């Protein structure tokens, strides 16, 4: 092995070691691990809420609004998957995880309702306005806000910023 | 008059062509999580790209050959191969991200899943590379990409607290919800997004395509020194829009649809239409540039005939290489991987590969055999050396930070 190769191998080994060390130090396998999915879920439900607002004001198009709602549903799915793979070590962690899963389920349901309401046409075939499509949005907005409040409450209780 | 118009067109194209999917996503992510506290990185990145793009343009104009070709000859096959491997892999990731970006923008316009738009994006990119003249291709995408000015307009319409934005930018600090590791991870990502290697290879190969001579250096310098900084302002406007609307709402950007929300809030459906046009043009232009860049680096390394100024039959391997790159990018997207995730990783890996791209350029730009009296001046070399140190630090820190922060999670 030449000198330059030895140097390269040593540098790579040092980087891998440092990476391992940092990843070990970065997160304790506790409630900290729930922070990621919780923040992802909070961001998703707030995005959906803002989108519904913008659609109610007729600022967002139906295509853009449904795309956003679809994206947020995928985000919620990813957050739920992370949470389901979280191995709770104590009774408190188990309880926190279960409470969070229940709220995630509520959020996913409200996101589905939001997506369906946003996808509903707001223009009737004759050129008028289809009030049924728009009428669903305030109710959906209420659902999203209630879910946001529940999640915020739990995050505060768990000490997640 | 004609010369003045040429200069103006060059500047506008440089502004419109500066922002790609990496800049769009990274700036929006950073704005939604850190406000403008990482604005200084955009400044550092823009100065860096101006410095090295100008250098590689000068190498091409003086030697009449593309930078990569000269690097291969000047530094030998092994150094050339290291440079090729790093830049080619980053290019491949960036092509994938840009095609995904085109498809995501079309989904935003139509509501039809982006996966269905990917084949159309592939065919459109290939057709333009195959059929359209280099200058038309570059100017049209750059000019239409200027539609992204809608971010700056939206920022004014949102009536932000300018004092607070200025304070975030001028007194950078790590927000309480984020750790220092995440802050520095995104600083590196933003730096990588601004200094993507493909930009310099495309710039220098483009100079050969357009047959630049020494007399064209002034125009090229104006394009770079005015166009890129103004493009940097667009990047800041993207971050500022996210900082004004998304950060206070507790929304962290993970999708392109979220990037659009501040613009929709400010300007409604008309602004959204302009934004989609701008995103399609910017990502389409960048897909063309990265695909060409992949072809350029491969052809220049192996000594194949290359260039759009030649008929495809006269540069067959160059064109086949680009088709393979496009198909590889689409194959990656077909696995269902999130294009935004590919974008986020591509900018960080760009930062990792930066020393392999920029050190050889600096060496060649100082070689009188190629550059004659146009070698770098002392001041340029001092600044370039400082940048090499920054680039090296960013490159070495990127992987440990990526692991430690869970890729900025």
């Amino acid at each position: 092995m030449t000198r330059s190769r030895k140097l390269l191998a040593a540098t790579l080994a040092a980087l891998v070691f440092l990476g391992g060390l940092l990843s070990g130090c970065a997160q304790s396998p506790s409630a900290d691990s729930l922070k990621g999915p919780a923040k992802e879920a909070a961001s998703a439900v707030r995005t959906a809420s803002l989108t519904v607002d913008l659609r109610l004001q007729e600022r967002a198009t139906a295509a853009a609004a449904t795309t956003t709602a679809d994206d947020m549903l995928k985000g919620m799915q990813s957050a739920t998957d992370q949470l389901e793979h979280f191995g709770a070590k104590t009774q408190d962690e188990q309880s926190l995880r279960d409470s969070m899963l229940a709220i995630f389920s509520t959020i996913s349901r409200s996101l589905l309702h939001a997506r369906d309401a946003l996808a509903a046409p707001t223009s009737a075939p004759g050129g008028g306005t289809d009030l049924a499509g728009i009428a669903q949005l305030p109710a959906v907005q209420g659902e999203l806000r209630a879910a946001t409040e529940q999640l915020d409450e739990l995050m505060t209780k768990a000490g997640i910023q | 008059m004609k010369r003045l118009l040429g200069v103006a067109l060059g500047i506008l194209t440089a502004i419109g062509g500066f922002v790609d999917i990496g800049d769009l996503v990274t700036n929006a992510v950073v704005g939604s999580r850190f406000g403008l506290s990482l604005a200084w990185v955009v400044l550092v990145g823009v100065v860096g790209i101006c410095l090295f793009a100008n250098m590689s343009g000068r190498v091409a104009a003086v030697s009449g050959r593309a930078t990569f070709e000269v690097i291969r000859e000047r530094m030998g096959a092994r150094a050339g191969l290291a440079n090729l491997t790093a830049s080619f892999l980053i290019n491949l990731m960036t092509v994938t991200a840009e095609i995904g970006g085109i498809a995501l923008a079309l989904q935003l316009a139509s509501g039809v899943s982006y996966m269905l738009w990917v084949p159309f994006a592939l065919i459109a990119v290939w057709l333009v590379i195959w059929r359209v003249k280099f200058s038309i291709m570059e100017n049209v995408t750059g000019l239409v990409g200027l539609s992204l000015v809608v971010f700056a307009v939206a920022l004014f319409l949102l009536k932000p607290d300018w004092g607070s934005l200025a304070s975030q930018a001028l007194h950078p600090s790590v927000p309480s919800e984020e750790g220092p590791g995440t802050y520095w991870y995104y600083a590196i990502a933003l730096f990588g997004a601004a200094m993507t290697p493909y930009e310099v290879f495309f710039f220098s190969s483009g100079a050969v395509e357009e047959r630049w001579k020494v007399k064209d250096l002034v125009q090229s310098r104006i394009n770079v020194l005015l166009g890129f900084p103004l493009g940097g302002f667009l990047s800041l406007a993207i971050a500022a829009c996210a900082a004004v609307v998304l950060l206070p709402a507790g929304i962290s950007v993970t999708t392109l649809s979220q990037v659009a929300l501040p613009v929709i809030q400010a300007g409604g459906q008309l602004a959204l239409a302009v934004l989609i046009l701008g995103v399609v043009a910017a990502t389409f232009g960048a897909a063309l540039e990265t695909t060409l860049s992949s072809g350029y680096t491969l052809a220049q390394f192996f000594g194949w005939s290359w260039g759009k100024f030649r008929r495809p039959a006269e540069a067959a391997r160059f064109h086949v290489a680009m088709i393979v790159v496009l198909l590889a990018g689409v194959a990656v997207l077909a696995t269902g991987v999130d294009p935004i995730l590919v974008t986020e990783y591509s900018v960080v890996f760009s930062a990792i590969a930066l020393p392999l791209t920029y050190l050889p350029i600096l060496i060649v730009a100082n070689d009188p055999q190629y550059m004659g009296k146009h070698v770098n001046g002392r001041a340029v070399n001092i600044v370039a050396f400082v940048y090499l140190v920054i680039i090296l630090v960013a490159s070495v820190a990127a992987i440990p930070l990526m692991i430690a922060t869970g890729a900025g999670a």
Side-chain angles (χ1 to χ4, degrees), chain B residues 317-343:
Chain B
R317 280 182 286 193
F318 168 66
H319 278 274
V320 169
M322 288 190 291
I323 292 171
V324 171
V325 165
L326 281 172
L327 289 174
V330 169
V332 173
L333 288 171
T335 62
V337 65
D338 180 4
I340 299 296
L341 208 60
V342 177
T343 306

Side-chain angles (χ1 to χ4, degrees), chain B residues 164-366:
Chain B
S164 160
L165 282 181
S167 157
Q168 287 172 30
L170 297 174
H171 308 286
S173 61
V174 183
S176 56
E177 312 83 51
E178 305 283 354
T182 322
Y183 180 86
W184 287 106
Y185 175 76
Y186 277 107
I188 290 173
L190 216 47
F191 187 61
M195 291 199 66
T196 329
Y198 83 82
E199 289 180 29
V200 286
F201 291 132
F202 178 77
F203 195 71
S204 76
S205 302
V208 176
E209 293 262 22
E210 293 183 316
R211 296 189 168 87
W212 283 5
K213 298 277 177 268
V214 175
K215 67 178 172 55
D216 299 313
L217 279 176
V218 176
Q219 181 172 339
S220 122
R221 205 166 285 161
I222 295 171
N223 289 354
V224 167
L225 297 182
L226 276 176
F228 284 2
L230 289 172
F233 269 114
L234 275 189
S235 298
L236 285 178
I238 296 167
C241 278
V244 170
V245 174
L246 305 180
L247 178 65
I251 295 170
S252 300
V253 168
T254 50
T255 66
L256 188 66
S257 55
Q258 288 170 311
V259 179
L261 289 174
V263 174
I264 298 174
Q265 180 160 320
Q269 298 191 8
L270 180 64
L272 173 64
V274 177
L275 169 73
I276 291 171
L277 185 69
V279 175
V280 171
T283 49
F284 195 87
L288 296 172
E289 290 179 8
T290 43
T291 307
L292 278 165
S293 218
S294 307
Y296 288 144
T297 47
L298 272 177
Q300 287 162 17
F301 180 81
F302 290 109
W304 303 337
S305 167
W306 61 273
K308 273 181 63 59
F309 59 91
R310 292 191 171 98
R311 287 191 300 127
E314 292 167 353
R317 280 182 286 193
F318 168 66
H319 278 274
V320 169
M322 288 190 291
I323 292 171
V324 171
V325 165
L326 281 172
L327 289 174
V330 169
V332 173
L333 288 171
T335 62
V337 65
D338 180 4
I340 299 296
L341 208 60
V342 177
T343 306
E344 289 183 355
Y345 279 105
S346 77
V347 293
V348 176
F349 281 104
S350 279
I352 295 168
L354 287 178
L356 290 170
T357 305
Y358 291 111
L359 175 64
I361 291 175
L362 184 60
I363 293 172
V364 170
N366 275 295

Side-chain angles (χ1 to χ4, degrees), chain A residues 59-126:
Chain A
R59 287 180 165 265
T61 59
T66 44
T67 300
T68 312
D70 269 333
D71 287 344
M72 294 311 107
L73 268 168
K74 281 183 204 149
M76 258 332 280
Q77 187 57 54
S78 146
T80 308
D81 287 347
Q82 285 178 54
L83 199 56
E84 280 172 350
H85 286 105
F86 171 72
K89 289 195 173 147
T90 63
Q91 193 63 40
D92 285 349
E93 282 178 15
Q94 178 70 38
S95 159
L96 180 61
R97 175 182 171 272
D98 291 347
S99 309
M100 211 170 261
L101 271 175
I103 295 176
F104 277 22
S105 164
T106 309
I107 293 175
S108 295
R109 209 168 34 248
S110 60
L111 282 175
L112 271 172
H113 294 160
R115 200 262 313 266
D116 291 346
L118 289 166
T122 50
S123 297

Side-chain angles (χ1 to χ4, degrees), chain A residues 15 18-19 22-23 26 35 39 43 46-47 50-51 54-55 58-61 63-64 67-68 71-72 161, chain B residues 107-111 176-177 249-252 255 257-258 261 264-269 272 396 400 403-404:
Chain A
L15 278 176
L18 187 64
L22 287 168
S23 64
K35 191 175 165 184
K39 287 178 92 171
S43 176
R46 287 182 176 130
T47 301
L50 176 59
T51 307
L54 293 172
R55 186 71 187 129
E58 295 194 25
R59 287 180 165 265
T61 59
T67 300
T68 312
D71 287 344
M72 294 311 107
Q161 280 182 317
Chain B
Q107 178 181 8
L108 208 55
S110 64
S176 56
E177 312 83 51
I251 295 170
S252 300
T255 66
S257 55
Q258 288 170 311
L261 289 174
I264 298 174
Q265 180 160 320
Q269 298 191 8
L272 173 64
V396 171
I403 296 168

